[in-house]
Structure formats: structure tokens, C-alpha cells
């Protein structure tokens, strides 16, 4: 009888303890699953052709963009742009009158169907389905050692997915930031 009572108490404490883990612990993972489901529905409704832009940047001022075009579920074009802040002769940054850095944007390359993936710079030429697969794994890192991020656009499509190690101070985001997304006409 005492063993049953002890077992019952242990089970009750376990249920109480687990109920405290719920909402925050898995918020990003739940949002990811909802977004992936919405993506599947949107793809059926709007077609499997779209363009998205991935943004990478650093606190030092440089940034880059990779545009990926997908038609009927296959990557058909990839372009990579490098953005560098302009500097004065003394090395200081040049600023616009209305604020913000003056930058030089250069298209480093554009790939078409026959040469997709032949350049090293830029994000990999992945479809949104592949992005969900690759970057969903980034939400499985240890929450105690990392801060997780997951965001969607207004339609529920993946926009930001990744993490930052808690001990890192500069350029630490590991994941993907989709700056823009648009459907191509059916």
C-alpha cells in the first residue's frame, strides 16, 4: 500500500513538473510546425513558384543578399549581392544626409538553371521545403546554452529560424533570415 501511495505521489509530481515546461519550452518548435503546415497549404493554393531573398550581415557594416528563384519546385536562378559601406580616406564611414551608411552594392554573380550552385559565395540554392528541413533542426539545440529565434511573415511562411549561443558576442546568429518572399504568378 505504501509503495502505491509513493508511486502515485511521484506520478503526480512528475505531471506537475512537466506542466510547467509547456509553453515557452517548445514555443519556437510549435510555431515551426504550424508554419510548415501553412507552407504546404499555401504551396498547393498558390503554386510552387516563388522568389526569396536571404540577408546576412555583420556589426562591422558589411552585408550580403542571395536571391533564390524557384519554379515548379526547382531552383532556376540564384544571384549574390555584396554590400560594403563606403569609407573616407581616413577610414571613417560615409553617411547619408538623412542618416544611415552610404554603401556600394555589387552583384557578384547570377546563376541560371545550367550553372546553379557553381559559386561558393552566397546561400545554398534551396527550395523552401529544403529550408524548412535544414533550418528546423536549428531549433533542436540546447535552450540552456542558446537563444532560439523563429518568425514568420504575415502569411505564416518561414522568415527567421536559428539560434545564438549565449556565450557569443559578435556575429553569432546561426540560421537563416529571409528578408523578402514573393510568389511568382501561376
Amino acid at each position: 500500500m505504501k509503495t502505491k501511495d509513493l508511486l502515485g505521489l511521484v506520478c503526480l509530481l512528475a505531471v506537475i513538473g512537466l506542466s510547467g515546461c509547456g509553453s515557452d519550452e517548445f514555443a519556437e518548435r510549435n510555431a515551426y510546425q504550424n508554419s510548415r503546415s501553412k507552407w504546404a497549404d499555401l504551396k498547393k493554393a498558390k503554386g510552387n513558384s516563388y522568389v526569396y531573398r536571404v540577408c546576412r550581415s555583420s556589426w562591422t557594416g558589411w552585408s550580403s543578399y542571395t536571391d533564390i528563384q524557384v519554379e515548379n519546385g526547382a531552383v532556376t536562378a540564384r544571384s549574390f549581392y555584396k554590400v560594403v559601406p563606403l569609407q573616407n580616406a581616413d577610414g571613417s564611414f560615409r553617411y547619408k544626409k538623412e542618416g544611415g551608411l552610404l554603401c556600394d552594392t555589387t552583384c557578384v554573380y547570377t546563376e541560371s538553371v545550367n550553372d546553379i550552385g557553381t559559386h561558393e559565395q552566397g546561400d545554398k540554392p534551396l527550395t523552401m521545403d529544403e529550408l524548412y528541413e535544414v533550418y528546423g533542426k536549428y531549433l533542436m539545440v540546447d535552450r540552456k546554452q542558446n537563444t532560439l529565434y523563429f518568425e514568420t511573415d504575415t502569411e505564416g511562411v518561414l522568415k527567421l529560424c536559428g539560434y545564438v549561443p549565449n556565450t557569443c558576442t559578435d556575429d553569432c546568429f546561426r540560421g537563416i533570415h529571409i528578408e523578402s518572399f514573393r510568389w511568382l504568378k501561376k
Side-chain angles (χ1 to χ4, degrees), residues 23-159:
S23 61
D24 267 1
E25 177 84 17
F26 300 105
E28 293 87 1
R29 294 177 193 150
N30 290 337
Y32 164 82
Q33 289 298 338
N34 290 338
S35 175
R36 195 165 186 176
S37 178
K38 285 180 185 178
W39 167 250
D41 293 342
L42 285 165
K43 191 170 62 168
K44 286 178 189 172
K46 297 187 177 204
N48 200 4
S49 298
Y50 48 87
V51 176
Y52 68 90
R53 172 174 275 187
V54 178
C55 174
R56 305 273 177 200
S57 62
S58 170
W59 66 272
T60 60
W62 71 264
S63 62
S64 68
Y65 301 99
T66 307
D67 292 340
I68 309 284
Q69 180 172 306
V70 176
E71 295 178 55
N72 299 316
V75 176
T76 58
R78 178 174 78 148
S79 296
F80 177 72
Y81 302 87
K82 188 166 82 173
V83 182
V84 180
L86 297 175
Q87 295 180 311
N88 295 312
D90 66 359
S92 62
F93 290 119
R94 294 174 55 192
Y95 291 90
K96 301 175 191 173
K97 289 180 185 176
E98 62 275 5
L101 289 174
L102 279 171
C103 293
D104 179 35
T105 301
T106 305
C107 181
V108 177
Y109 66 81
T110 295
E111 299 171 333
S112 59
V113 175
N114 296 329
D115 64 346
I116 295 290
T118 57
H119 294 85
E120 289 186 29
Q121 287 181 304
D123 277 75
K124 292 182 180 179
L126 302 175
T127 65
M128 288 299 293
D129 291 302
E130 292 169 324
L131 291 178
Y132 274 103
E133 186 66 31
V134 169
Y135 290 102
K137 294 173 185 167
Y138 282 51
L139 298 177
M140 303 306 284
V141 297
D142 184 349
R143 288 182 70 90
K144 292 176 185 169
Q145 296 180 18
N146 302 281
T147 301
L148 276 59
Y149 295 93
F150 184 81
E151 295 177 14
T152 62
D153 66 11
T154 56
E155 289 189 295
V157 176
L158 173 70
K159 182 174 182 162

Side-chain angles (χ1 to χ4, degrees), residues 7-18:
L7 184 58
L9 181 60
V10 169
C11 288
L12 178 62
L13 290 173
V15 168
I16 291 170
L18 289 176

Side-chain angles (χ1 to χ4, degrees), residues 58-60 145 164-174:
S58 170
W59 66 272
T60 60
Q145 296 180 18
V164 173
N166 294 338
T167 57
C168 189
T169 56
D170 293 328
D171 295 333
C172 303
F173 180 73
R174 307 291 183 257

